[in-house]
Amino acid sequence: KTPEDKVELAREDVKKTPVIELSYSIFFPPSHAQCKAGESWAREIEKRTEGAVKINVYPGGTLTAADACFDGVFRGISDIGMSCFAYTRGKFPVMEAVDLPLGYASGKVATRVANEFYAQTKPQELEDVQVLYIHAHGPGLLHTQKPVENLDQLSGMKIRSTGLSAKVVQALGGVPVAMPQGNTYEALQKGVVEGTFAPIETLKGWKQAEVIKHTTDCHMIGYTTAMFVVMSKAKWEGLPKDIQQIFAQVSSEWIDVHGDIWDEADEEGRAFTTELGNSIVTLSEEEGRNWEAAVKSVIDEYIETAKERGVDGEKNVALLKELIARYGQE
Amino acid sequence: MSPTLVGIIGIIALFTLIFFRMPVGFLMALIGFVGFGYIVNFDAALNLLAKDFVSVFGSYSLTVIPLFVFMGQLAFHSGISSRLFDAAYKFIGHRPGGLAIATIGACAGFSAICGSTNATAATMAAATLPEMKRYNYKPELATGVVAAGGSLGILIPPSVIFIVYGIMTGQSIGKLFLAGVFPGILLTVLFIMSIVIWTRLRPDLGPPGPRATLKEKIASLSGLVEMIIIFVLVMGGLFGGMFTPTEAGAIGAFTTLVVAIAKKHLTWDGFVGALFETTRISCMILIIVAGATVFGHFLAISRIPYDIANWISSFQLPPAVIMGFIIAVYFVGGCFIDSLALIMLTIPIFYPVVLEFGYDPIWFGVIIVLITQIGVITPPVGVNVYVVSGVARDVPLTVIFKGVIPMLIALIITTFLLIPFPQIALFLPGLMR
Amino acid sequence: MLSFIRVEKWTALVSEWVNWVAAAAVVFMMLLITADVTLRYFFNSPLRGTYEVVGLVGSVVVAFALPYTTVCRGHIAVDFLAQRLPWIARVILNIVNTLAALILFSFASWECGQYAQSLKASGEVSATLQMPTYPFIYGVAIGFAMLCVVLVIELIRQFRGAEIE
Ligand code: NA
Ligand code: NA
């Protein structure tokens, strides 16, 4: 912020004393584009409510850590929260399906699918909070030091992956090695892992393009990670009706804002890795089908576990496939 | 009351109540809990308390602490540290103050496998104080050297403070470790110079010992083999990329254990002693980390860090003045508060400011380690001095504090050399790309 | 009051037993990670889920070492001012401190129990092995509860005008 900005903000502060002050915990670090998108959502709410609402953003887990965010909103540590469903595995048996390797073409598609899927299923697991919107990253792809054009070449390779992506890696015949994203650069550089499974934006965001050589564009099995933006039910119900409407309106507009930013990030990641002379291999149609067949076990396993929880996983997967096909064409 | 005011009251309460003997970790958690409850509500504060404790206790990155502590404890209980001292003594014991220099050398060596300043001081005190006493060294020299030598434990990798700093700021722990190497060597050299000058001025402090024969010298080196194996494996593996810091701790502890058992240097009692010391020290550290996390979340919701950062930058002072101010805070704080607790309290406040002024975060990590190491040996709260006095029960605290002064000068010079010459710290991590 | 002394001794003993669990957890972590690294390097087959198991076992280390560490007065506290106070002031100070800690950790223990229960109810599991995490949270709750017992004993000791070291 320039000093002028600060003066401007200070002036606005004096002009309108906010009546409703809300805290917003975002797990992304402040430098991340998705955190900035969340902040721009907050600023837009402030603008359209003409200062009746003020939202203090706490980025980088400074208020609640990624896996404590949802409960934090439920219990009132923060009023609003953004984090991944996947960080509390098993807590969201319905929404978990969105993350499956169903072949998301882009972040925009994944984001739209996730929101529509939520709107149609309205799962019980999210009843305790007010869901503002959901967003999800572009397809998770394979980035390696040695080229991977088929499953044989991937066999036995150590690939950084966690949670669901670890299952995908294993289904494809690789060896999943879990570690935080922050340690991956060093691990790739030193050969602790031979590749990583992630959306292509991480190649720029975490500089990993410097330590890999090839990307295998396996978007036909592209998985995603859905992220929620939720608000405490009590705080939501305390809002005047017109302000609730502004929240709903801005949130629905921000679905594509996030989706586009995910896609821009992926494009930048793609440009960055190409600039460094790394190659991007697209799987042949035939090989793509092999990969799809390989990850079917992951989807079946989800359906199986969901059944134990009394959730119709088969129906959810079918709905997701239909939505992916519909939004993929737009 | 505005949240900012509550935050300020919280900080004042902490820095006041801390003098009344409440364990530091408990106190931070308590004030954080009450303050958060006041600003938000009790139910949220309750949830925050449990979540923060559970997430700190169960953090993969923090398990590096028990593992490295265990490694150091095994090294102590299997006599690796005392053999290190023996070898150093054989080489320079015949010079005035030679034993003290040997102690610094042994501290530097031991630092390479131990990550804690208190553990290094405690270990080396137990191993070297009886020896120095035997050769008629004056207690002020002997204890002062051991207390100060502990600071090498934290500067030369591995280092618990670098790990905590890296985790809190998201900086690479590997780079921080590398950044500590040259300042650690520089400090070792300056410590030795201090001893040389001091014993030249007052030869009675450290009378020369008998000269060892070449054969004895060579024979003593065999005692170093274990330490070298462990060091090469752990540090080589860590920097050569075979494993992460947590893995390095586990491999290091395992190797130390295997080597000690193979050479029959470790008894069952020694093993149990090492284990119990490990759980105690780890628990002590992690309770502080957890308490600082709760307190940090309270500070965040009070928005004080943001206010302070804005406030400091609104003065438009030159960065050097602000850095001077931050250094002064660490120096004064270090005189009263344990360095680890101090770093965890203040990083959320100062780190963003330091970044905003364009200082290198790795360099800043080294600087605050140095400053807080000044703190661990200065009165009134000098944790290392307490540790040493715990071993040397017959030496009054005031004597140790007096003995620390010449070493303190070396620490201050090192710190001030790093300000105009940040390359001393940044050269090695720069190579890492 | 022989019975109090007996209770006190018994608490210290139980704390020590529980500390053995923490000690065993340290050894287990060390062995698990060493096995994982070895298998990864020489056999290209790391142990699945090491990452999450190490974190969960780590919470046992701290929680179960907490009662014994407190019995041994192993926590860092600033002492130099309190040392200069008269005897009665020190006793009062210790009572206030112990009581404050007791309240804090009673809340923490109760809330961790609630947290574990909610994890069990919502079916939350670890990321890779999909192993339930709630038993470890119960472990933390038990560690805190044990600490509270230690603190109650300490409180009684202070009320009886015990010597302070
Ligand atoms: Na060290
Ligand atoms: Na001090």
Side-chain angles (χ1 to χ4, degrees), chain B residues 51 157 172:
Chain B
K51 280 278 163 64
S172 153

Side-chain angles (χ1 to χ4, degrees), chain A residues 75 88-91 156 158 163 167 170 175-178 180 191-192 301 309, chain C residues 40-41 44-46 48 51 111 115 118 121-128 130:
Chain A
R75 295 288 295 272
T88 44
R89 201 173 164 85
K91 193 180 174 74
K158 284 170 281 191
K167 287 203 187 293
Q170 199 168 29
V175 178
V177 178
V192 173
E301 195 192 325
R309 304 282 306 272
Chain C
R40 189 170 77 211
Y41 266 88
N44 207 34
S45 57
R48 235 162 54 93
Y51 179 77
E111 179 65 24
Y115 179 30
S118 82
S122 72
E124 214 171 304
V125 289
S126 68
T128 309
Q130 287 179 273

Side-chain angles (χ1 to χ4, degrees), chain B residues 18-24 46-47 50-51 54 57-58 60 63 241-242 247 250 254 275-276 279 283-284 286, chain C residues 19-20 23 30 33-34 40-41 51 55 58-59 62 66 68-69 74 76-80 94 97 111 115 137 164:
Chain B
I18 209 163
F19 292 106
F20 292 94
R21 213 194 233 176
M22 177 102 167
V24 177
L46 206 54
N47 189 249
K51 280 278 163 64
V54 166
F57 288 4
Y60 174 85
T63 53
M242 276 161 62
E247 288 170 354
F254 183 74
L275 256 182
F276 270 49
T279 56
C283 178
M284 170 189 100
L286 285 164
Chain C
N19 196 61
W20 273 103
M30 175 188 80
I33 296 173
T34 307
R40 189 170 77 211
Y41 266 88
Y51 179 77
S59 59
V62 192
L66 191 49
Y68 188 63
T69 305
I76 294 180
V78 178
D79 212 13
F80 77 96
N94 284 357
N97 282 347
E111 179 65 24
Y115 179 30
I137 316 298
I164 322 154

Side-chain angles (χ1 to χ4, degrees), chain B residues 136-148:
Chain B
N136 291 320
Y137 272 53
K138 288 278 179 310
E140 55 184 295
L141 174 66
T143 55
V145 163
V146 187

Side-chain angles (χ1 to χ4, degrees), chain C residues 61-76:
Chain C
V61 173
V62 192
F64 282 22
L66 191 49
Y68 188 63
T69 305
T70 311
V71 167
C72 301
R73 304 185 192 286
H75 296 293
I76 294 180

Side-chain angles (χ1 to χ4, degrees), chain B residues 75-108:
Chain B
F76 170 65
H77 284 275
S78 61
I80 289 178
S81 40
S82 63
R83 283 192 293 283
L84 200 63
F85 176 77
D86 286 344
Y89 172 63
K90 289 281 185 318
F91 280 82
I92 41 175
H94 58 280
R95 296 173 168 279
L99 272 178
I101 296 171
T103 303
I104 288 295
C107 282

Side-chain angles (χ1 to χ4, degrees), chain B residues 138 231 378:
Chain B
K138 288 278 179 310
F231 178 70
T378 49

